Amino acid sequence: MAADAPTAQGAPEPLFQRLCLIGVGLIGSSIARVARARGDIARTLVVTARSQATLDRVRELGLADVVEEDAAKAVEGADGVIFCIPVGAYAEVMARIAPHLAPGAIVSDVGSTKGSVVRDLTPLLPKGVHLVPAHPMAGTEHSGPDAGFAELFEGRYTMLTPLAGSDPQAVQKIAELWRRCGSMVETLDPVTHDKIVAIVSHLPHLIAFTICSTADDLAEETKEQVLKFAAGGFRDFTRIAASDPTMWRDVFLNNREALLEMLGRFVEDAHALGRAVRWGQADYIEDRINRGRKIRRGLIERHQA
Amino acid sequence: MAADAPTAQGAPEPLFQRLCLIGVGLIGSSIARVARARGDIARTLVVTARSQATLDRVRELGLADVVEEDAAKAVEGADGVIFCIPVGAYAEVMARIAPHLAPGAIVSDVGSTKGSVVRDLTPLLPKGVHLVPAHPMAGTEHSGPDAGFAELFEGRYTMLTPLAGSDPQAVQKIAELWRRCGSMVETLDPVTHDKIVAIVSHLPHLIAFTICSTADDLAEETKEQVLKFAAGGFRDFTRIAASDPTMWRDVFLNNREALLEMLGRFVEDAHALGRAVRWGQADYIEDRINRGRKIRRGLIERHQA
Ligand SMILES: NC(=O)c1ccc[n+]([C@@H]2O[C@H](COP(=O)([O-])OP(=O)(O)OC[C@H]3O[C@@H](n4cnc5c(N)ncnc54)[C@H](OP(=O)(O)O)[C@@H]3O)[C@@H](O)[C@H]2O)c1
Ligand SMILES: NC(=O)c1ccc[n+]([C@@H]2O[C@H](COP(=O)([O-])OP(=O)(O)OC[C@H]3O[C@@H](n4cnc5c(N)ncnc54)[C@H](OP(=O)(O)O)[C@@H]3O)[C@@H](O)[C@H]2O)c1
């Protein structure tokens, strides 16, 4: 790739002249940290966020060359703009920045849903601006600019969901950005993406939130004992459930169809297993448990566990 | 405690003269390892299991003083006997060993359910033999004699569920055994025990098995992609779901009532959250997510997370 070609000084040419991150929480600040550490992602890194507190913190941490309060100003002159905010906020932010996007700029994102991103951003996209939606399959249950770290994306997949008419060069540039973040890049369509993340990520989070709120509804005395003796599997669920409410509310609402489909299947299966427990159907129970183990073995074989 | 008094040589007197472990998988072999390492738990450690392969392995690992194929023989002359087998096998094994139990012997166990243990063992208990059911709240997804380790119980709770008429000295001896394993000991009644573990352990396992089998039912192509991109929460569930099928089948069948009660509540709550997703009830979704976080904070405050 031309972007990899070393300059006269031996340092490769930065991918972007002026890269603007909109939102600088766990994901945005991790990209910023990689960009600062490598130097070959953006010549100038611009960061914007919603609150003054976050902007101040970004300055303290030295995460960007330019910290800009106003998103519209932040994107001016940028050849790359990455949405790193909850997916429910995209349409409103895009409406504000669209008139200020530079011709030829690439707009990308890191959102956990992709159908909604295409739905919300495409109608507002100025002519000559390229949209390349992306989703790094990496995260933790923490949020905010202090939660990020440069190694977050290493060895993890990033999914690109370019549109049919996407500019191949723009797609290549975003793919290269993620490779420089240490990620393995895969391309797929938004519908398939949303179906897969519904089962590997969104349903597990919905389940974790649910079991924790089920526990929270227990009578006070039982709840105290649950907290005391939480070590048996429940604790793992509470870790997942510690994730940011706004982000997850937006994810659920913006992957509604695939999530409800997977939830429906899951609840059917849970009912069937519960029924087998009620009626003492030992073979059925063992069979379902063994299928779970099979999936685990599949992950181990693929070095994903 | 008298049991703690050092002998003339300065080494404390062993708790049991002859301690027999029935079953030597993850939990049994971990107790054996602690007993070997400390020397103050059993003067003579006897181990029995079902298969020749396990007995051979126990000999190779040097986990016991006596390795005995026949459970009835193994318990002869023992002042302590601990069931370390799946709870569904208790009644059958107890029927075989009961005639061979020494007068005054203490029978205990490590099973994950406690109502069933009282139900299955009490009717077969010879006069003068003491029953002290116990459950160490510690485990991993691995099983067999190679899976155990001496630190398994350190800093974890062990729950004792003595019966109304239990001999206090027998209860104290089992409590001391678990303290010597590094455990914190709590006493509660079997019904409360079963209710708590239903939500902190059994339901999370049932859910993990279910979501894995839901994934296993997906069309081949989607399943491949699920395995590939499993990193988003799902992977944590597959770890829990890797646990032993026989053990978990027995746990589910022997904590039926409490488990079905908790499963019922959980499914109701999952339906309610799904309904809120369907109808776009953002506030409801956030509220449920926040309750999950509250539980997590509760754990962190209690140093359980
Ligand atoms: N967390 C994960 O595990 C994960 C993994 C993969 C992808 N993602 C996706 O990455 C995106 C960001 O997630 P994150 O975990 O980095 O979130 P985060 O740590 O909570 O940070 C969110 C950032 O977005 C800004 N923001 C929030 N609402 C906004 C609004 N209405 N307008 C403008 N800015 C707003 C916040 O600014 P202030 O701080 O000023 O409020 C903050 O800088 C989401 O779309 C999420 O789906 C997350
Ligand atoms: N695993 C956990 O996380 C955990 C935590 C707390 C409590 N527990 C409880 O601890 C007990 C043992 O679990 P574990 O994880 O140690 O299991 P494990 O690793 O699978 O070992 C089970 C042991 O029981 C023996 N066994 C199995 N079925 C038997 C039968 N029908 N008759 C006689 N012996 C039999 C096995 O002998 P062979 O090897 O010869 O077949 C093996 O030695 C269970 O009651 C479980 O509920 C488990």
Side-chain angles (χ1 to χ4, degrees), chain A residues 235 238, chain B residues 296 299-300 302-305:
Chain A
R235 193 173 44 180
T238 69
Chain B
R296 176 74 183 174
L299 285 189
I300 289 171
R302 283 164 189 79
H303 307 292
Q304 289 290 304

Side-chain angles (χ1 to χ4, degrees), chain A residues 217 236 239 242 291 293, chain B residues 214 217 236 239 242 291 293:
Chain A
D217 283 338
D236 298 337
R239 193 189 53 71
R291 277 156 177 263
R293 290 160 66 86
Chain B
T214 303
D217 283 339
D236 299 337
R239 193 188 54 70
R291 275 155 178 264
R293 289 159 66 88

